[in-house]
């Protein structure tokens, strides 16, 4: 499968400190809060998600992966919700047609949000237990981004020497 | 690896599109109230209301001169020839009422007010209003509104020979029916399409609305077509922006409009 591309090992639950498990879980739960707060203006939750991601991505690959997966999986629902909000505003204030296409979109978007909600909850619980959990599509993309070994596979190269001994 | 991700993308987009399409075709908010009254019953109800109307108010007395009849027939013929399949038998009457208005009663009965003819400059403008009203009929807006207001039981009780006072109630309510925004939009859409099919430019719809608005005719409650909806500008805009097919030709309606208007002033 992974020809020519070397991947880091996926971390196992016993290797992950509790703090990291909680941060990984927080990546999903935090998005809920952001999503709820962002409902009238769907861009807000994306900004919040980005901030959470940047704060947490350097903690460990496990946290990085879950934050990234959560961020990616949120993009489609955010776009769908944003379109829905503007479409609805259009119907109310600009006289767009309230038609079956809109009704279908409304339901489909609600379904998409529910699916996102349920899977995020499952992922949050799994992350709390230190388990990997891959969403359709977003799980794979996030995995590739987080676990691909760059620089020819020398893990030590990643560590920059910042702190020097006094002698 | 790439094919696996590509597959996932197709799954995600496909699933969403499928759900969307599915719910376009599944009516999730069925308007039961209008479904329950058959077209036959609606027409019977309409007949009863028209009968009651003819007996009562002078404001709704039909003008039935030969000039009016022939003019209305020309209008009706042009529109109904192009409407396609319809379950209704339309009755279009001109009533002796100076208000600028038109009203749709159940069963395809449309009343045009004398004031509307007098405010218009051409038969095409009145045709635009008629197309809008026909939209209300075809989309069954009148019955569904009445059913909401009175409930099906009362409407059925009229059909089975109910109290005459109820008929008067239903009638007066039909005469001042206010449609909601969605219904107006549906009737507009239907009307604009019907105008196009009938070789009448949708521009007449816009121009007549603009004229009515600018002249500031006295607006009364329940005045359907020109009701002071906040979105009246967008309705005019929609009519102006309506794109007809390339082969569309605007065919004038051959009615001597000045003659008709003059005859109404007598």
């Amino acid at each position: 499968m992974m020809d020519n591309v070397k991947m880091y090992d996926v971390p196992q639950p016993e290797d992950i400190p509790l703090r990291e498990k909680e941060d990984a879980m927080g990546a999903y739960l935090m998005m809920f809060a952001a999503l709820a707060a962002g409902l009238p203006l769907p861009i807000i939750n994306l900004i919040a998600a980005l901030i959470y991601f940047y704060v947490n991505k350097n903690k460990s690959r496990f946290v990085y992966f879950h934050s990234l997966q959560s961020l990616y999986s949120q993009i489609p629902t955010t776009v769908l919700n944003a379109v829905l909000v503007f479409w609805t505003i259009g119907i109310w204030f600009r006289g767009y047609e309230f038609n079956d296409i809109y009704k279908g979109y409304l339901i489909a978007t609600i379904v998409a949000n529910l699916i996102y909600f349920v899977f995020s909850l499952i992922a949050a619980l799994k992350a709390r237990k230190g388990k990997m959990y891959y969403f359709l599509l977003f799980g794979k993309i996030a995995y590739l981004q987080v676990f691909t070994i760059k620089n020819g596979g020398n893990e030590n190269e990643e560590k920059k020497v910042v702190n020097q001994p006094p002698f | 690896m790439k094919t696996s991700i590509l597959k996932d993308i197709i799954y995600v987009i496909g699933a969403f599109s499928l759900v969307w399409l599915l719910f376009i075709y599944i009516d999730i908010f069925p308007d039961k109230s209008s479904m329950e009254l058959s077209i036959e019953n609606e027409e019977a109800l309409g007949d009863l209301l028209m009968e009651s109307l003819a007996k009562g108010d002078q404001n709704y007395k039909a003008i039935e001169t030969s000039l009016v009849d022939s003019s209305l027939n020309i209008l009706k013929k042009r529109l109904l020839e192009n409407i396609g399949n319809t379950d209704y038998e339309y009755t279009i009457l001109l009533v002796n009422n100076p208000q600028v208005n038109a009203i749709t009663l159940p069963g395809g009965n449309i009343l045009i007010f004398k004031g509307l003819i007098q405010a218009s400059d051409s038969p095409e403008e009145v045709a635009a209003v008629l197309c809008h009203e026909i939209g209300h009929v075809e989309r069954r807006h009148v019955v569904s509104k009445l059913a909401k207001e009175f409930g099906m039981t009362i409407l059925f009780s009229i059909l089975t020979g109910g109290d005459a006072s109820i008929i008067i109630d239903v009638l007066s309510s039909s005469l001042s029916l206010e449609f909601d925004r969605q219904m107006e939009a549906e009737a507009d859409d239907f009307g604009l399409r019907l105008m196009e099919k009938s070789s009448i430019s949708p521009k007449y719809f816009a121009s007549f609305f603009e004229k009515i608005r600018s002249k500031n005719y006295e607006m009364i409650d329940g005045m359907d077509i020109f009701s002071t909806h906040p979105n009246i500008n967008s309705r005019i805009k929609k009519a102006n922006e309506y794109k007809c097919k390339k082969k569309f030709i605007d065919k004038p309606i051959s009615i001597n409009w000045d003659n008709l208007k003059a005859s109404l002033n007598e």
Side-chain angles (χ1 to χ4, degrees):
Chain A
M1 270 281 280
M2 303 284 174
D3 352 289
N4 304 329
V5 185
K6 287 183 179 166
M7 309 299 287
Y8 292 113
D9 289 338
V10 173
Q12 296 308 318
E14 58 268 29
D15 303 333
I16 304 166
L18 180 66
R19 178 67 203 267
E20 284 181 13
K21 291 175 183 169
E22 281 173 350
D23 283 343
M25 175 181 71
Y28 297 101
L29 298 186
M30 183 270 170
M31 304 302 182
F32 286 140
L35 193 70
L39 267 182
L41 260 185
I43 197 73
I44 291 172
N45 61 308
L46 211 59
I47 295 169
L50 271 171
I51 294 170
Y52 191 90
F53 170 71
Y54 277 109
V55 168
N56 286 287
K57 73 174 204 171
N58 292 324
K59 284 185 178 163
S60 77
R61 271 193 281 280
F62 183 71
V63 179
Y64 183 19
F65 166 79
H66 279 294
S67 310
L68 194 64
Q69 172 166 263
S70 176
L71 175 65
Y72 282 161
S73 62
Q74 185 170 229
I75 292 172
T77 37
T78 304
V79 172
L80 292 177
N81 292 347
V83 171
L84 184 68
V85 166
F86 287 110
W87 199 341
T88 311
I89 289 174
I91 288 174
W92 277 102
F93 296 104
R94 314 199 61 183
Y96 293 0
E97 200 183 339
F98 178 81
N99 52 20
D100 289 346
I101 298 172
Y102 171 80
K103 287 184 215 166
Y105 183 82
L106 176 72
I107 298 296
T109 304
I110 292 172
V111 169
N113 274 288
L114 282 179
I115 292 173
Y116 165 74
F117 190 86
V118 168
F119 280 94
S120 289
L121 214 61
I122 296 172
L125 293 174
K126 296 258 184 191
R128 179 67 180 75
K129 289 178 184 160
K131 289 180 182 166
M132 297 293 283
Y133 184 70
Y134 304 101
F135 287 165
L136 189 73
L137 179 63
F138 312 107
K140 287 174 185 166
I141 297 174
Y143 170 76
L144 283 179
Q145 195 170 332
V146 174
F147 288 95
T148 303
I149 299 175
K150 288 150 197 151
N151 305 325
N154 188 350
E155 264 192 63
N156 295 328
E157 266 185 31
E158 264 200 356
K159 291 179 184 165
K160 279 184 197 162
V161 182
V162 175
N163 295 334
Q164 303 282 356
F167 303 109
Chain B
M1 201 160 68
K2 272 186 184 162
T3 48
S4 155
I5 289 180
L6 208 66
K7 241 191 242 170
D8 281 4
I9 293 177
I10 294 169
Y11 286 153
V12 170
I13 296 176
F16 182 79
S17 315
L18 212 69
V19 175
W20 187 355
L21 274 177
L22 191 74
F23 281 103
I24 287 176
Y25 289 104
I26 297 176
D27 196 357
I28 36 158
F29 316 111
D31 201 347
K32 276 188 186 155
S33 50
S34 64
M35 297 300 159
E36 287 168 15
L37 197 71
S38 67
I39 305 264
E40 288 74 29
N41 281 340
E42 187 191 334
E43 288 193 323
L45 177 67
D47 290 346
L48 279 169
L49 294 181
M50 292 297 277
E51 241 173 63
S52 159
L53 187 73
K55 276 187 263 175
D57 203 333
Q58 283 299 308
N59 275 328
Y60 295 101
K61 199 142 186 73
I63 304 173
E64 288 174 314
T65 63
S66 59
L67 184 59
V68 167
D69 283 350
S70 65
S71 306
L72 287 181
N73 276 334
I74 293 170
L75 270 176
K76 193 168 140 184
K77 192 164 167 252
R78 170 75 83 90
L79 301 182
L80 295 187
E81 266 174 3
N82 297 294
I83 197 171
N85 287 332
T86 176
D87 296 320
Y88 289 95
E89 283 197 23
Y90 281 89
T91 306
I92 299 172
L93 289 180
L94 180 60
V95 295
N96 195 359
N97 189 320
Q99 286 163 359
V100 183
N101 200 6
I103 281 177
T104 309
L105 291 182
N109 295 297
I110 298 173
L111 308 180
I112 303 174
F113 287 32
K114 189 171 83 173
L116 183 83
I117 305 274
Q118 285 163 332
S120 65
D121 289 327
S122 69
E124 285 82 2
E125 291 178 344
V126 173
V129 174
L130 269 177
C131 286
H132 173 93
E133 297 300 325
I134 290 173
H136 281 311
V137 175
E138 292 293 326
R139 294 278 176 265
R140 311 207 68 191
H141 292 160
V142 185
V143 251
S144 76
K145 272 274 167 190
L146 284 179
K148 263 179 205 146
E149 197 164 323
F150 292 95
M152 291 308 299
T153 354
I154 287 188
L155 294 188
F156 274 124
S157 81
I158 295 174
L159 293 174
T160 48
D163 198 336
S165 67
I166 300 177
I167 298 184
I168 292 171
D169 275 354
V170 174
L171 178 64
S172 71
S173 170
S174 320
L175 291 174
S176 59
L177 217 52
E178 276 188 66
F179 297 107
D180 52 46
R181 195 188 296 259
Q182 185 199 343
M183 289 175 165
E184 292 300 347
E186 279 179 14
D188 281 353
D189 289 336
F190 187 96
L192 293 174
R193 271 199 302 278
L194 180 57
M195 288 181 81
E196 182 189 5
K197 283 193 267 181
S198 311
S199 306
I200 302 166
S201 167
K203 298 269 184 291
Y204 287 108
F205 182 94
S207 68
F208 192 42
F209 266 61
E210 271 168 356
K211 192 186 304 170
I212 296 296
R213 192 181 48 178
S214 65
K215 283 190 183 169
N216 244 339
Y217 281 97
E218 193 191 342
M219 297 289 177
I220 51 154
D221 286 340
M223 197 140 118
D224 162 38
I225 41 168
F226 312 119
S227 56
T228 47
H229 281 170
N231 60 349
I232 185 152
N233 290 333
S234 66
R235 291 172 72 190
I236 291 174
K237 196 164 154 246
K238 190 157 85 177
N240 268 326
E241 286 170 357
Y242 185 90
K243 284 210 169 53
C244 293
K245 290 186 184 127
K246 272 187 185 161
K247 55 184 179 185
F248 172 82
I249 310 165
D250 189 4
K251 288 184 197 153
I253 302 172
S254 51
I255 298 175
N256 190 332
W257 205 243
D258 292 333
N259 264 0
L260 179 68
K261 281 166 80 171
S263 81
L264 293 178
N265 288 333
E266 283 163 10

